[in-house]
Amino acid sequence: MTETIAGNTNPLKQRQLTIRVGWGTLSFALVNEDGQDIEFEPYVVRSGVSMAANLREAFKTCDALLNAPPRVRLLIDSNVLMVPVELFAEADIETLHTHAFPPASEEEDRGRMVCYNVLPDLNCVAVFDMNRDLQLVLDDHFQSVRLISAVTPVWRHMHQRSFTGSRLKLYGYFHERRLEVFSFQQNRFRFCNSFDASRPQDGLYFLLYVWKQLNLNAKFDELHIMGDIPQQKWLVEQLHIYLQKVFVVNPSADFQQAPATEIKAMPYDLMTLFVKGR
């Protein structure tokens, strides 16, 4: 099912296609250059079938792909290793990523490729993996593919928000039963890690654990959470037992009711990409 949010539509404007590949999800979004006309189409992923095979099938049925432009952005949610920019060497990325995220088998090792995004405003490089077969499917259909680690737009947006006010801030982004926890110190990450948060109790534990690890002040410092928050009311109530300043990011208010925020099924990272850019 395609959900469309239209503003001042101009059919002459170039449309941009973004494909988002999650841990078990696949979706497509077409948007005009001005960001005022968005078509978002989630795809029902078949379990037991590779994401590459699902994408190949999607080209036969999905409206967004039937007349796709020659260039595409791929927003991919996968294991990410953060490397300080001064220590980054392209020749070492496969070794470093494999050491941080060992493959479960030789087949998995052969089937994945390692990519990276340079984040100069954060003085680091995000090193992430994707499936080689997925890349082959994309190469079969597009002239140019731009790869973006899915959490990158969220990191960059929250980094800008971290300069508001004088208190230290910790951020938690919930998505697909995972939790990204991160904090900034000037133009660098102070902390950045990903956790399994399939239960709200997991999210509560990891947020408070990192808070304590960073020695943040429970009375004055701030926790901001966003995304697909499990049992949001319960989680916020539990967090307030220990922390005084807990905030839930409202995309509509944060992005001044941008058209992307009206599509409730759209992941927060994709929404951020459309509103704030990479």
Side-chain angles (χ1 to χ4, degrees), residues 164-225:
T164 60
S166 59
R167 304 310 307 179
L168 296 175
K169 300 175 181 65
L170 182 67
Y171 299 96
Y173 172 39
F174 290 88
H175 61 112
E176 298 187 74
R177 299 186 177 184
R178 294 173 68 87
L179 170 62
E180 313 291 335
V181 183
F182 51 98
S183 182
F184 305 102
Q185 189 166 14
Q186 297 301 319
N187 292 324
R188 289 183 179 274
F189 279 105
R190 186 182 182 196
F191 182 92
C192 184
N193 207 345
S194 178
F195 303 97
D196 175 22
S198 54
R199 303 180 306 155
Q201 292 86 349
D202 299 328
L204 176 66
Y205 172 81
F206 289 120
L207 287 169
L208 294 176
Y209 175 82
V210 175
W211 184 278
K212 183 177 180 180
Q213 185 177 351
L214 297 180
N215 196 30
L216 295 173
N217 189 300
K219 187 174 181 180
F220 298 109
D221 292 330
E222 301 174 3
L223 173 64
H224 297 256
I225 57 176

Side-chain angles (χ1 to χ4, degrees), residues 17-259:
L17 173 65
T18 302
I19 299 176
R20 187 188 186 280
V21 177
W23 290 90
T25 61
L26 181 62
S27 59
F28 314 99
L30 278 168
V31 60
N32 279 351
E33 289 178 341
D34 58 9
Q36 297 301 306
D37 182 31
I38 301 172
E39 293 180 11
F40 179 67
E41 187 174 0
Y43 181 78
V44 179
V45 173
R46 291 174 55 197
S47 60
V49 179
S50 72
M51 193 60 72
N54 273 283
L55 180 57
R56 196 175 295 279
E57 285 299 310
F59 274 97
K60 302 175 183 178
T61 58
C62 291
D63 295 338
L65 300 179
L66 294 178
N67 294 294
R71 294 177 176 81
V72 66
R73 289 186 304 191
L74 179 70
L75 201 65
I76 183 161
D77 198 355
S78 63
N79 292 317
V80 183
L81 172 68
M82 307 305 293
V83 180
V85 70
E86 64 270 19
L87 301 179
F88 176 75
E90 187 173 6
D92 297 334
I93 61 173
E94 289 197 22
T95 301
L96 290 172
H97 191 277
T98 300
H99 181 75
F101 305 104
S105 63
E106 291 186 9
E107 182 179 359
E108 180 183 334
D109 187 31
R110 290 192 301 269
R112 73 181 184 182
M113 56 187 289
V114 179
C115 319
Y116 65 91
N117 293 148
V118 180
L119 309 178
D121 47 342
L122 290 169
N123 291 294
C124 69
V125 181
V127 180
F128 57 98
D129 62 271
M130 71 172 290
N131 184 272
R132 292 185 184 276
D133 290 340
L134 189 64
Q135 178 69 55
L136 291 175
V137 176
L138 294 167
D139 289 342
D140 286 342
H141 291 86
F142 300 102
Q143 295 178 7
S144 174
V145 180
R146 180 184 174 196
L147 303 177
I148 303 173
S149 177
V151 192
T152 298
V154 180
W155 287 328
R156 301 185 78 168
H157 176 50
M158 292 302 155
H159 175 242
Q160 291 301 311
R161 283 182 49 139
S162 69
F163 290 102
T164 60
S166 59
R167 304 310 307 179
L168 296 175
K169 300 175 181 65
L170 182 67
Y171 299 96
Y173 172 39
F174 290 88
H175 61 112
E176 298 187 74
R177 299 186 177 184
R178 294 173 68 87
L179 170 62
E180 313 291 335
V181 183
F182 51 98
S183 182
F184 305 102
Q185 189 166 14
Q186 297 301 319
N187 292 324
R188 289 183 179 274
F189 279 105
R190 186 182 182 196
F191 182 92
C192 184
N193 207 345
S194 178
F195 303 97
D196 175 22
S198 54
R199 303 180 306 155
Q201 292 86 349
D202 299 328
L204 176 66
Y205 172 81
F206 289 120
L207 287 169
L208 294 176
Y209 175 82
V210 175
W211 184 278
K212 183 177 180 180
Q213 185 177 351
L214 297 180
N215 196 30
L216 295 173
N217 189 300
K219 187 174 181 180
F220 298 109
D221 292 330
E222 301 174 3
L223 173 64
H224 297 256
I225 57 176
M226 68 221 68
D228 186 16
I229 303 170
Q231 297 185 32
Q232 178 176 306
K233 182 180 179 181
W234 178 89
L235 181 60
V236 172
E237 288 176 349
Q238 294 300 308
L239 288 167
H240 270 301
I241 294 174
Y242 306 97
L243 311 177
Q244 188 163 324
K245 297 184 181 296
V246 179
F247 304 93
V248 177
V249 176
N250 182 329
S252 181
D254 190 31
F255 296 143
Q256 300 178 342
Q257 298 181 334

